[in-house]
Amino acid sequence: NAGVTQTPKFRILKIGQSMTLQCTQDMNHNYMYWYRQDPGMGLKLIYYSVGAGITDKGEVPNGYNVSRSTTEDFPLRLELAAPSQTSVYFCASSYDGNSGLSYEQYFGPGTRLTVT
Amino acid sequence: KNQVEQSPQSLIILEGKNCTLQCNYTVSPFSNLRWYKQDTGRGPVSLTIMTFSENTKSNGRYTATLDADTKQSSLHITASQLSDSASYICVVSRQTGANNLFFGTGTRLTVIP
């Protein structure tokens, strides 16, 4: 299994540009997540999905959009990029997240985004 | 307010020495607590997961403890190796739902020869 894969690894955007961060998992996990990690800060949840066709906002959703048309893919869309979106973005997945007890999240390698 | 606080922020130790990282939380109602290791430029990788009834859990040279009464956890690393250099993140899950994970800011451990 490749686990959770993310592309691209690095990207530089100009203010106002748009882009899509790709995330794919091959573990048949139903739950998928997008986080951002700013220097010296904990991971913050942007959006999550409990299954294909279902998405919901996390703690910091403004400026982002997601879709979940398949179990495997969970792309994150940035519209009108702003310097405040400079961060490292991590995608993660887990199985049956709603069981609540001991599910494990698997993280991708991250995408480092700089908006100038 | 649901929070996870980790200490110290950073730590430097000599190879072969032991160390202990701390995590205090105020997340309620508590479901489970995890410790992750995050190498520079990589995503976090799970080390241990503990539920309310578990006091200790080991994963090789890593041993995590949990005191659910005082809402404290520790991660003890024995006989440190250079490859232990990483950030260690404490994550506390509140019961139910996917939007119920609270992340600490991590402890940056550097092991020097």
Side-chain angles (χ1 to χ4, degrees):
Chain A
N1 287 351
V4 180
T5 56
Q6 291 183 238
T7 57
K9 282 190 162 59
F10 304 94
R11 184 72 186 268
I12 298 174
L13 281 183
K14 294 195 173 162
I15 294 172
Q17 285 187 317
S18 301
M19 76 164 292
T20 298
L21 282 67
Q22 301 291 346
C23 175
T24 300
Q25 53 92 9
D26 62 359
M27 298 174 280
N28 201 31
H29 286 169
N30 52 347
Y31 277 55
M32 296 187 75
Y33 315 78
W34 273 106
Y35 295 92
R36 60 177 287 173
Q37 186 177 38
D38 299 324
M41 305 291 288
L43 280 81
K44 293 189 184 295
L45 184 65
I46 305 171
Y47 269 95
Y48 67 100
S49 168
V50 301
I54 306 170
T55 63
D56 211 341
K57 294 178 181 179
E59 184 183 356
V60 289
N62 291 347
Y64 307 94
N65 273 301
V66 293
S67 59
R68 184 96 181 269
S69 55
T70 66
T71 299
E72 294 78 19
D73 301 306
F74 190 41
L76 177 72
R77 177 86 178 158
L78 277 74
E79 305 280 4
L80 300 175
S84 60
Q85 294 178 304
T86 294
S87 189
V88 181
Y89 291 83
F90 289 99
C91 179
S93 72
S94 64
Y95 180 71
D96 193 15
N98 209 27
S99 67
L101 283 183
S102 60
Y103 65 93
E104 179 177 343
Q105 280 191 327
Y106 294 83
F107 285 83
T111 293
R112 185 175 294 276
L113 175 68
T114 302
V115 181
T116 62
Chain B
K1 184 179 177 185
N2 293 297
Q3 283 187 315
V4 178
E5 308 260 350
Q6 290 188 246
S7 62
Q9 270 193 329
S10 61
L11 183 62
I12 300 175
I13 62 173
L14 288 173
E15 185 180 10
K17 297 295 186 183
N18 304 336
C19 67
T20 300
L21 314 180
Q22 300 289 346
C23 174
N24 296 339
Y25 63 92
T26 58
V27 178
S28 181
F30 174 85
S31 175
N32 61 67
L33 184 145
R34 317 112 180 266
W35 283 94
Y36 284 89
K37 179 186 179 189
Q38 185 177 20
D39 292 314
T40 301
R42 309 289 290 272
V45 174
S46 178
L47 292 174
T48 64
I49 300 176
M50 288 185 293
T51 60
F52 184 88
S53 59
E54 295 173 299
N55 299 116
T56 185
K57 186 167 274 192
S58 292
N59 178 358
R61 294 178 297 102
Y62 301 100
T63 300
T65 64
L66 173 65
D67 186 334
D69 291 330
T70 61
K71 300 189 177 181
Q72 296 179 325
S73 176
S74 65
L75 180 69
H76 186 73
I77 305 175
T78 305
S80 60
Q81 300 176 358
L82 298 179
S83 59
D84 293 330
S85 295
S87 286
Y88 291 84
I89 303 171
C90 176
V91 183
V92 181
S93 175
R94 194 171 55 183
Q95 290 176 6
T96 71
N99 189 15
N100 283 293
L101 292 178
F102 297 87
F103 288 78
T105 54
T107 292
R108 177 72 204 172
L109 174 66
T110 303
V111 180
I112 58 176

